[in-house]
Amino acid sequence: MFEVVTTKKQQKQFETTWEYFCNKFGWVNDPYTPNGIRYTVQHPDNRKKVIGTIEFTPYSSNIKSSTVEKHFAFASIEMIMQHQARTWEIDKLCLHKDFHRMGLFREFISIYYHHAIQYQPKYYVGMMEKKFFRMARIVLGLKVIQLGEDQGSSHNALVPVLLDIETIMKDKNLLEKLLADSGENHQQNKKSIIRTFIGQYKHYFQKK
């Protein structure tokens, strides 16, 4: 289960959860950007309890306004700069360690899908915690690209990554499987999800 942060109460829950992990692992707590789209992951048995967070922000190569550029020179990657207007930064990504082995990482698949349907990004870029990177690679394969060397200690290393979300959204078979695995694609709304996908991305299939 997840929620889009739209209220002051939800923002406070987001901040409390994220800043707890920053203090625990020594991560840098970057500013909360005004144009950021934030999501919280809820406890599977208690929606009032937040156990994870993620923030999406339109990518900026300006180190003063970017939440990720100060940690890695994403602007040096040609494919990112060619599609800067359709690239989003991923930041403040965390999930309580007690839930890592419960399959709740796949809840982020539903969040990526929700954001991608609304904003139609081409790439996501960011600094991903090493364990998250490994899980993402297992689920998404080479559509998660490591752009540089790990940063930080081996205990809490961060990996500069690019997620090719457009390719994922164009792959109907993969998308359907991911949504089914995440719990988003139940049998009763399966056709509705695919119709929504085709409606949002039909222009991709019309291209040669």
Side-chain angles (χ1 to χ4, degrees):
M1 297 182 289
F2 68 86
E3 293 181 354
V4 183
V5 174
T6 58
T7 69
K8 290 183 178 179
K9 180 179 179 180
Q10 289 172 319
Q11 177 63 25
K12 182 63 178 178
Q13 290 177 314
F14 184 105
E15 293 176 6
T16 299
T17 304
W18 169 246
E19 290 170 16
Y20 165 81
F21 285 98
C22 287
N23 293 331
K24 184 177 179 64
F25 296 109
W27 295 343
V28 176
N29 183 16
D30 293 308
Y32 297 93
T33 57
N35 57 345
I37 309 298
R38 302 180 187 92
Y39 294 77
T40 56
V41 178
Q42 319 305 120
H43 190 288
D45 299 320
N46 181 3
R47 289 192 68 94
K48 294 182 179 180
K49 185 176 181 179
V50 175
I51 59 173
T53 64
I54 186 171
E55 176 185 71
F56 299 88
T57 306
Y59 171 70
S60 172
S61 59
N62 185 337
I63 195 169
K64 293 183 178 180
S65 58
S66 170
T67 61
V68 300
E69 194 69 22
K70 66 189 71 173
H71 305 295
F72 179 81
F74 291 95
S76 67
I77 308 299
E78 184 178 356
M79 60 194 299
I80 294 174
M81 298 310 295
Q82 287 178 343
H83 303 282
Q84 182 174 351
R86 294 185 57 219
T87 298
W88 285 70
E89 302 177 10
I90 295 177
D91 194 26
K92 302 177 177 64
L93 170 62
C94 68
L95 179 67
H96 194 286
K97 66 181 182 63
D98 290 350
F99 300 92
H100 284 187
R101 298 185 183 275
M102 293 179 60
L104 290 184
F105 170 78
R106 294 179 183 275
E107 192 69 33
F108 287 100
I109 299 297
S110 296
I111 293 175
Y112 291 140
Y113 173 79
H114 185 274
H115 181 271
I117 282 292
Q118 294 195 53
Y119 297 97
Q120 299 189 29
K122 184 174 181 64
Y123 299 132
Y124 291 138
V125 297
M127 302 298 298
M128 188 175 289
E129 198 268 335
K130 186 71 172 183
K131 291 181 181 178
F132 269 91
F133 172 73
R134 289 171 178 165
M135 287 187 282
R137 264 292 177 86
I138 291 172
V139 176
L140 300 172
L142 296 179
K143 296 175 181 64
V144 183
I145 303 170
Q146 181 168 353
L147 298 176
E149 298 295 325
D150 297 358
Q151 298 187 16
S153 66
S154 58
H155 177 67
N156 57 358
L158 296 175
V159 181
V161 301
L162 179 147
L163 174 60
D164 188 352
I165 187 64
E166 181 178 68
T167 297
I168 294 171
M169 295 298 286
K170 289 170 65 176
D171 189 334
K172 291 187 289 184
N173 292 331
L174 173 61
L175 183 66
E176 185 174 356
K177 181 181 184 301
L178 291 172
L179 292 175
D181 289 345
S182 70
E184 182 75 16
N185 192 5
H186 297 296
Q187 186 64 36
Q188 61 267 29
N189 64 7
K190 181 176 179 180
K191 292 182 180 179
S192 176
I193 288 177
I194 297 302
R195 282 198 301 269
T196 300
F197 161 76
I198 293 174
Q200 292 283 347
Y201 283 84
K202 61 183 179 181
H203 57 286
Y204 291 141
F205 301 104
Q206 295 171 350
K207 296 178 181 179
K208 295 183 180 179

